[in-house]
Amino acid sequence: LSAFLNLVLAAILGAVIGYHPRRLRTADTLEEIEAPKVSIVYAVIGSFIGILVVKYTLAMGFVLFGIGALMRFRTVMRSAQLTGQVIFATLIGLTCGLHLPHVAALATAFEFVLTFILEARITYRVDVRGLPPDRFAEAADAYRAVLTSRPYTVLSETKRPDRGRVCFIFRSSGTGTRKHIERLLDERVDPALRGSLDWEVD
């Protein structure tokens, strides 16, 4: 019963970490959308390791090394942020398995609040492709005007007139989602100047 409760607690705390509203808001790839499930599974794995360590002590050292190798070489995460999320969830689960539920709950609450602070401002990278070559400068200025007229801060702009591409890296205050920004660009950029958008969100 004690082991079962530890596993359940680890799964719940892993879900709290994985399904943080700030993380869900910026999820834009299949890996990021499925990442909460990975956090829950690794939290349960960590809890199970902790239970085994308490029961069998040093004999489980080989298991720990094996799990570490599995995470390092078999788990491919899209970003350092997702990797940190999975590692943290695993440690939370391990804490549950070591019969330290109060420490696990405290660490989860701390991480939850910390994520709200760190993810208050979202950084976007949008690559606008297929701009009309004869009106490239005008099209690039039109996209920049939309991004600078809103509560966004343009950090970088890279133009490639020969390819009809311009790349913007900008930061949002956190109030607008990617879909909201796309809608603004569609509404305010002349259809004759539009290109296709390729996003990266951090």
Side-chain angles (χ1 to χ4, degrees):
L1 178 60
S2 175
F4 175 75
L5 293 177
N6 284 333
L7 293 174
V8 171
L9 178 61
I12 293 174
L13 297 181
V16 171
I17 294 172
Y19 287 98
H20 195 290
R22 286 285 171 88
R23 291 195 176 101
L24 294 179
R25 184 184 59 184
T26 58
D28 64 339
T29 65
L30 180 60
E31 290 83 359
E32 291 176 343
I33 294 172
E34 294 294 320
K37 299 178 184 178
V38 178
S39 295
I40 295 173
V41 171
Y42 272 99
V44 173
I45 291 174
S47 179
F48 188 63
I49 293 173
I51 294 171
L52 294 178
V53 168
V54 170
K55 180 67 176 178
Y56 298 105
T57 61
L58 295 179
M60 285 299 103
F62 296 101
V63 176
L64 294 177
F65 281 112
I67 293 296
L70 175 66
M71 291 181 61
R72 173 64 181 87
F73 297 106
R74 298 299 182 187
T75 303
V76 179
M77 290 294 167
R78 181 174 178 267
S79 67
Q81 180 185 19
L82 292 180
T83 303
Q85 176 183 332
V86 170
I87 292 175
F88 194 86
T90 305
L91 294 177
I92 292 297
L94 182 60
T95 307
C96 293
L98 294 174
H99 302 299
L100 297 171
H102 54 291
V103 176
L106 178 63
T108 301
F110 181 83
E111 195 275 344
F112 195 85
V113 175
L114 183 63
T115 299
F116 265 113
I117 297 174
L118 296 178
E119 300 295 329
R121 294 173 64 85
I122 305 173
T123 303
Y124 296 91
R125 177 183 181 274
V126 58
D127 193 6
V128 187
R129 305 179 181 183
L131 297 177
D134 55 334
R135 304 179 65 183
F136 176 81
E138 185 181 354
D141 291 341
Y143 276 95
R144 184 202 288 185
V146 175
L147 295 177
T148 56
S149 65
R150 307 298 300 179
Y152 308 121
T153 302
V154 177
L155 304 176
S156 173
E157 178 181 354
T158 304
K159 295 180 179 179
R160 296 182 178 178
D162 55 325
R163 299 185 180 181
R165 296 172 55 181
V166 60
C167 177
F168 295 98
I169 298 178
F170 62 98
R171 184 170 292 153
S172 167
S173 61
T175 56
T177 62
R178 192 189 75 175
K179 292 183 179 179
H180 175 69
I181 300 172
E182 285 182 348
R183 186 167 58 251
L184 285 176
L185 293 174
D186 287 339
E187 292 174 354
R188 302 197 174 196
V189 175
D190 189 330
L193 302 176
R194 289 180 194 164
S196 60
L197 305 180
D198 183 19
W199 290 89
E200 181 178 342
V201 183
D202 185 11

